[in-house]
């Protein structure tokens, strides 16, 4: 009978899940949910195709906060390069007459980065290049970062997940 139980139990759980529409999203288990990969619905001139989804998400996050963030209209460009001319994982290059707003990411960082890490760094660089923000190296009482605008190093613990995303985007856009 033991063999029969081991066969029946998973089947029974599957059946219960079918009835109650179980998902594996983990929404109720308290674990952090990672930012998911996505497909862009539009293109951006002079921006590496791999960055489009994050540019689009940035604009959507701004719009959700009643901020108009038309990155293409503003002239933001973006690249992922083997030799971007800096040692940081990402950088925002601007000029004094406000005609250059270029986000450049290091190829070796990008290929190893998770979707969450990619969203953090693109939003961080757009924080510089579009929002004109500087670094905010503050930690919350639990040691986690107070802002996506933290600089590199170990100033705080990254805590950017689906559940905390709105908190960080509110801070990023100043809302
Ligand atoms: Zn920075």
């Amino acid at each position: 009978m033991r063999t029969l139980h081991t066969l029946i139990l998973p089947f029974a759980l599957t059946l219960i899940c079918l009835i109650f529409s179980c998902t594996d999203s983990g929404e109720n288990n308290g674990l952090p949910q990672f930012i998911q990969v996505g497909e862009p619905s539009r293109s951006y001139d002079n921006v590496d195709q791999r960055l489009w989804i994050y540019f689009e998400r940035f604009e959507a996050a701004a719009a959700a906060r009643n901020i108009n963030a038309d990155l293409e209209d503003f002239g933001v460009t973006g690249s992922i390069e083997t030799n971007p001319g800096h040692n940081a994982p990402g950088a925002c290059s601007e000029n004094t007459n406000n005609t250059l707003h270029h986000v450049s990411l290091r190829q070796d960082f990008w290929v190893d980065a998770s979707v969450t890490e990619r969203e953090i760094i693109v939003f961080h660089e757009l924080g510089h290049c579009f929002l004109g923000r500087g670094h905010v190296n503050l930690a919350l009482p639990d040691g986690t970062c107070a802002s996506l605008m933290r600089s590199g190093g170990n100033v705080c613990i990254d805590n950017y997940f689906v559940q905390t995303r709105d908190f960080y985007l509110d801070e990023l856009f100043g809302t």
Side-chain angles (χ1 to χ4, degrees):
M1 286 307 288
R2 182 171 294 171
T3 307
L4 193 59
H5 276 122
T6 57
L7 286 171
I8 287 172
L9 191 60
F11 175 73
L13 284 174
T14 303
L15 199 60
I16 290 166
C17 274
L18 282 172
I19 293 165
F20 292 101
S21 300
C22 300
T23 65
D24 60 357
S25 66
E27 276 178 60
N28 298 315
N29 63 11
L31 294 174
Q33 292 175 54
F34 298 107
I35 309 297
Q36 296 297 301
V37 69
E39 289 296 323
S41 63
R42 55 160 292 184
S43 61
Y44 290 84
D45 284 346
N46 301 309
V47 177
D48 188 297
Q49 197 168 338
R50 291 169 286 181
L51 301 177
W52 290 354
I53 182 66
Y54 304 102
F55 273 45
E56 194 171 357
R57 285 179 179 174
F58 183 91
E59 289 181 339
R65 291 161 177 80
N66 296 315
I67 294 168
N68 178 30
D70 189 329
L71 297 174
E72 196 166 77
D73 188 52
F74 193 68
V76 182
T77 53
S79 62
I80 300 174
E81 303 172 55
T82 308
N83 295 305
H86 54 77
N87 291 322
C92 159
S93 307
E94 296 187 286
N95 58 7
T96 51
N97 58 2
N98 211 32
T99 55
L100 174 73
H101 311 279
H102 184 69
V103 171
S104 56
L105 288 307
R106 289 191 67 86
Q107 166 81 11
D108 55 0
F109 166 82
W110 187 263
V111 295
D112 290 336
S114 67
V115 172
T116 298
E117 291 167 328
R118 290 174 179 177
E119 185 162 301
I120 288 173
I121 195 156
V122 176
F123 283 14
H124 174 102
E125 300 310 336
L126 290 172
H128 290 312
C129 263
F130 179 78
L131 297 171
R133 294 197 57 183
H135 285 142
V136 177
N137 289 324
L138 293 174
L140 298 173
D142 65 357
T144 57
C145 298
S147 171
L148 289 184
M149 296 312 296
R150 58 121 180 104
S151 61
N154 298 315
V155 293
C156 54
I157 302 159
D158 279 326
N159 189 36
Y160 188 71
F161 297 102
V162 169
Q163 294 96 328
T164 57
R165 190 173 184 269
D166 275 342
F167 167 82
Y168 285 104
L169 297 185
D170 284 346
E171 193 283 334
L172 182 65
F173 291 102
T175 57

